[in-house]
Amino acid sequence: MAVVVALIITPPAIIADEFLFDFAAWLPGVPAVISNGLLPAVLVLAGIIGFYGLMKRYYAANKNEAIQAVFVLLLIAFIILTITCIWFRGRGMALMRPG
């Protein structure tokens, strides 16, 4: 389940981060450390905690199984992010087609 969730959520999240979300422009009076650092980190952490809760509630996973599911989710997400950064990022880390 964790692999499927990571494969479904990570690519749209990358595209949304590139084209939709611009916290610095939305919150011009807020320091960059908050708008570009703390706020996205809190959103990702909330997603991880939510996934952990879903594993425990809907799949009746014990603590160890839920933590393993979170680890697998993060592992697959990091692999997808690494592939994206190697082949799908261009000048200024802009998202682009490989080639």
Side-chain angles (χ1 to χ4, degrees):
M1 185 62 183
V3 172
V4 172
V5 169
L7 289 172
I8 290 172
I9 296 297
T10 306
I14 293 169
I15 293 168
D17 180 55
E18 181 73 20
F19 298 112
L20 298 177
F21 299 128
D22 189 7
F23 294 120
W26 294 348
L27 307 167
V30 177
V33 71
I34 294 173
S35 64
N36 287 336
L38 188 60
L39 184 59
V42 167
L43 292 174
V44 169
L45 186 60
I48 292 169
I49 292 170
F51 180 77
Y52 176 83
L54 287 174
M55 289 293 105
K56 293 202 49 107
R57 175 177 286 177
Y58 292 115
Y59 291 102
N62 62 31
K63 182 180 177 183
N64 288 335
E65 292 169 340
I67 290 173
Q68 287 174 357
V70 168
F71 177 81
V72 170
L73 175 86
L74 293 174
L75 177 68
I76 299 301
F78 285 141
I79 290 170
I80 293 169
L81 289 169
T82 301
I83 290 169
T84 301
C85 288
I86 291 173
W87 287 301
F88 296 96
R89 293 289 182 172
R91 182 168 292 167
M93 290 303 288
L95 198 58
M96 59 175 259
R97 282 189 242 151

